[in-house]
Amino acid sequence: MNIELLLFLILIVPLIISGLIWFLKKDLKILTSIHLGGAIIEAILGLAAVASVVNGKTYFIFDQMLFLDAVGGVFVTLIAITGVLVNIYSIKYMQWQVESAHITEKDVKLFFSLSHLFIFTMTFSVLANNIVLMWVAIEATTLSSVFMVAINKGKKSTESAWKYIVICSIGLAFALYATVLLYSAGFSVINDSHSTMLWTTLMSHAKEINSDALKLIFVFALIGFGTKAGFAPTHTWLPDVHSEGPAPASAMLSGILLKCALLGLVRYYAIVGNSTLGFEFVQSVMIVSGLLTVFVAALFLIKQHDVKRMFAYHSIAHMGVIAVGLGFGGFLGIFAALFHTLAHSFTKALAFCVTGNIQKIYGTRNMEKMGGMIKIAPITAILFGIAVCSLVGVPGFAIFVSEFYIIQEAISSGGYIPVALFIIGLIIIFIADFSHYNLATFGQSKTEVQCGEVERKANAPLIALAALIIIFGIFTVDSWVSLLNSAVKIIIGV
Amino acid sequence: MLDLLSILSIAIIITSLGVFSLRNYQFSIYTYAVQTFILVSIFFTLAFRFDAEQLSIWGMIAFFTKVVFIPMLLLKLVKKLDVKSEDEPVSGFFISPIIAMGFSLAISMAIYPIYLEFSLIKEAIPLMASITVFMMGIFGFILRNSAIKQILAYCMFENGIHLSLALMAYNSPEIAELGILTDAIFAVVIMSILAQRFFKYFGSLDVSKANELKG
């Protein structure tokens, strides 16, 4: 298929599916078939598009306003794979919610429709070459997902949705300021209104843009996109939203959305890094922000007994890990940061979907009340274990690979103090997690168990995610490594 | 002697204080409408003086969306919820506007020289106004507890950004302005729906009462 057509399709198909679900009658069978079929088509189209940019080619559409390069390819991969598996899981999850009268069929219809709209906005943010459109798309991700989070009505859900829209909107206002400033500073050099908006043109003229302005722009971009990505200290919306939203919404938010916001920051990181300032400025800012984020998350993790809040703090911690990777920089550091986006996406999608199972089995999210999961629901317990092992960086699981590379880069570049702090942060997370996992998995359950192991159909996408975590942890997936190599070259301007 | 542009810029700063401070929701919303009308007037003044034709189109779009549609939506919300005055803000009704305006002006004084360097239209007072209105919006979120006042704060920092855009990037392609505006309208609609839900569950619009989640 023509790549330009493919780019158009990966953008437009989710929008069509969303509209279709929105306008159809609320017959759950038909809606589910369209939701499932749509999710699979979106994934196939996404992966086909990524295949075209593995070797570093870049394709443009709509007068260069949209494009797909290897950096975008990394993120389209997350949207395609994590998106489809979470969307498949959401079918069973929503069925349970309707059965337990937590939501109505009308809510399911809304959720399915919004989940495809959400995929559309995230894909849009990844494909945008125009920096304003990228901002518009990232803001639109908040707007399209807010009612996915607040699908369960009630006090807590409303509070979390309000926090989400307010904090992210304030944060992104700073990102918009960064965008306006970058355009303005870029225009004085490029002198063409259309191309000054394009990331590709700004990259090629980065050295001519005023360096003082770029410093301010990067700080504004960090506040803006960093808020949405969950960096401390503006991370406070994240634990509330992830803990209150339905499991598939949390999985999608944590698995994909945070990374899309991060991509916004990576684009600015690349421009400023390729300017006369060099990478030193952006790296030092990222390392401070990353370490702060890892520590804040690690400290909050210790006292978390709510399984969803625990995983939410993990999302923050791992966004910190990615920031630290970008902070150490170098080819390997950026490679590791990008690898981590995928590793974390699969792991976190699995983790949050497992919490869906856990809530169905125990009817609670409090790990202190659980126990004996290994006997009650062995597959869920194993999947939970795989998620936790990967999250804490056990060798053989995907996250270990990227964390290992980050530490390797840090040591070779001589950043001993930051790396020591980074390792301490990871150790705190390791201890906190395993103690929680033990509470939930072994011993006696302190609550009335609602049901045993969940249906195979529900577990199938989770097993696929677990398999991917192990595959990426053990094997070298050549096409993925080529894609990452091409992406890193674009970022460092080689 | 101040010219028209500077007078309008100072007026937009004064209205931001009004939107922020007025306790009565209706007055606050009307002041916001006046502020946006001044913004539209600035767009037309800039369009005329600097031969920036795009800004007259922006002005017209902003008139229908921000002077007419958004205030109407908010007035309808206030009527539906049957609320008149806002709840006590952080640090009180008297102090919070002083804090907000003081800090907003200070920040705008510190930053505007950088903006001036790159702005397409190099006018100091309008640039300061754009930063002040933006910061008043940010402080509105931080210091005011009422959900409706927070929506107005969002609308206000949006006005600040639009003024910055007009001064610094008026020649940007229309799609950029349209995209930002569309997002803003959806955001206000969604926030209004959530404010209604908030009122239903908490019996008040005071967001500080929502403290079941610990962040």
Side-chain angles (χ1 to χ4, degrees), chain A residues 125-376:
Chain A
S125 71
V126 172
L127 294 189
N129 189 19
N130 181 310
I131 51 168
V132 175
L133 286 189
M134 182 179 77
W135 180 89
V136 167
I138 293 177
E139 170 75 358
T141 56
T142 313
L143 304 178
S144 58
S145 56
V146 68
F147 286 111
M148 282 173 78
V149 169
I151 204 103
N152 294 308
K153 293 164 191 77
K155 271 188 167 184
K156 284 185 178 179
S157 162
T158 308
E159 183 183 340
S160 70
W162 184 261
K163 244 186 186 174
Y164 180 36
I165 197 163
V166 164
I167 298 178
C168 287
S169 297
I170 298 179
L172 282 174
F174 283 93
L176 182 56
Y177 246 133
T179 311
V180 174
L181 267 173
L182 181 59
Y183 171 82
S184 195
F187 187 78
S188 59
V189 176
I190 299 163
N191 251 314
D192 175 74
S193 63
H194 172 69
S195 32
T196 306
M197 287 265 162
L198 305 179
W199 182 78
T200 40
T201 319
L202 287 161
M203 270 293 276
S204 56
H205 288 82
K207 283 211 162 34
E208 299 153 49
I209 302 173
N210 181 295
S211 52
D212 285 338
L214 284 176
K215 279 185 184 170
L216 185 69
I217 289 165
F218 189 71
V219 171
F220 274 12
L222 178 67
I223 298 172
F225 296 118
T227 300
K228 180 85 182 177
F231 288 178
T234 47
H235 64 281
T236 51
W237 63 273
L238 199 143
D240 294 345
V241 168
H242 284 20
S243 62
E244 291 314 309
S250 310
M252 203 98 91
L253 256 74
S254 181
I256 319 174
L257 172 71
L258 301 185
K259 280 83 180 181
C260 290
L262 187 89
L263 173 63
L265 189 60
V266 168
R267 299 277 190 211
Y268 280 77
Y269 173 90
I271 291 173
V272 182
N274 282 287
S275 73
T276 50
L277 282 171
F279 277 93
E280 203 180 317
F281 173 74
V282 282
Q283 282 176 2
S284 41
V285 173
M286 290 305 282
I287 220 157
V288 171
S289 176
L291 284 175
L292 176 72
T293 306
V294 169
F295 269 91
V296 167
L299 296 176
F300 275 99
L301 257 176
I302 297 170
K303 55 177 186 177
Q304 289 308 318
H305 294 295
D306 180 319
V307 65
K308 285 194 84 182
R309 290 186 82 81
M310 176 182 92
F311 283 141
Y313 277 105
H314 264 295
S315 296
I316 301 169
H318 285 279
M319 292 313 286
V321 170
I322 296 174
V324 170
L326 292 169
F328 286 125
F331 196 96
L332 194 60
I334 299 171
F335 181 96
L338 293 178
F339 192 105
H340 203 84
T341 58
L342 184 91
H344 181 250
S345 180
F346 293 159
T347 308
K348 199 41 72 70
L350 174 64
F352 273 117
C353 290
V354 163
T355 65
N357 284 8
I358 291 176
Q359 241 179 316
K360 160 100 174 145
I361 295 162
Y362 288 99
T364 176
R365 299 190 318 228
N366 188 342
M367 286 180 287
E368 282 184 319
K369 290 184 183 167
M370 296 170 196
M373 198 193 300
I374 197 77
K375 285 183 190 152
I376 300 161

Side-chain angles (χ1 to χ4, degrees), chain A residues 65 130 132-133 135-140 142-144 146-147 150-163 165-166 169-170 172-174 176-177 180-181 183-188 193-194 197 210 212-213 216 220 235-237 239-241 243-244 300 304 309 313, chain B residues 111 114-115 117-120 127 130-131 134-135 138 141-142 146-148 150-151 154 157-158 160-161 164-165 167-173 175-180 182-184 186-188 190-195 197-202 207 209-215:
Chain A
M65 279 202 287
N130 181 310
V132 175
L133 286 189
W135 180 89
V136 167
I138 293 177
E139 170 75 358
T142 313
L143 304 178
S144 58
V146 68
F147 286 111
I151 204 103
N152 294 308
K153 293 164 191 77
K155 271 188 167 184
K156 284 185 178 179
S157 162
T158 308
E159 183 183 340
S160 70
W162 184 261
K163 244 186 186 174
I165 197 163
V166 164
S169 297
I170 298 179
L172 282 174
F174 283 93
L176 182 56
Y177 246 133
V180 174
L181 267 173
Y183 171 82
S184 195
F187 187 78
S188 59
S193 63
H194 172 69
M197 287 265 162
N210 181 295
D212 285 338
L216 185 69
F220 274 12
H235 64 281
T236 51
W237 63 273
D240 294 345
V241 168
S243 62
E244 291 314 309
F300 275 99
Q304 289 308 318
R309 290 186 82 81
Y313 277 105
Chain B
I111 299 180
I114 303 172
Y115 285 25
E117 216 171 307
F118 304 103
S119 187
L120 290 175
L127 275 172
S130 76
I131 304 167
F134 174 81
M135 288 311 303
I138 300 287
F141 264 119
I142 299 168
S146 156
I148 290 179
Q150 291 197 348
I151 299 176
Y154 176 87
F157 77 55
E158 237 262 317
I161 288 174
S164 302
L165 259 174
L167 294 161
M168 302 178 78
Y170 69 81
N171 63 359
S172 59
I175 191 151
E177 167 72 5
L178 269 180
I180 295 169
T182 314
D183 263 351
F186 275 111
V188 174
I190 291 171
M191 286 168 99
S192 303
I193 298 170
L194 285 175
R197 217 188 252 192
F198 196 95
F199 193 75
K200 183 179 161 195
Y201 291 117
F202 289 88
V207 292
K209 286 187 179 159
N211 49 14
E212 303 209 358
L213 304 171
K214 296 290 174 209

Side-chain angles (χ1 to χ4, degrees), chain B residues 4-20 31-43 66 101 105 125-134 136-137 155-156 158-164 167:
Chain B
L4 177 65
L5 197 56
S6 302
I7 293 169
L8 290 172
S9 303
I10 293 167
I12 211 169
I13 294 177
I14 295 168
T15 49
S16 70
L17 187 63
V19 178
F20 183 95
T31 315
Y32 166 73
V34 171
Q35 180 183 70
T36 317
F37 186 74
I38 298 169
L39 180 74
V40 170
S41 311
I42 293 178
F43 282 179
K66 289 153 77 80
M101 189 45 94
L105 281 173
I125 298 178
L127 275 172
M128 275 174 61
S130 76
I131 304 167
T132 310
V133 173
F134 174 81
M136 284 298 280
C155 297
M156 201 152 68
E158 237 262 317
N159 276 356
I161 288 174
H162 277 262
L163 186 52
S164 302
L167 294 161

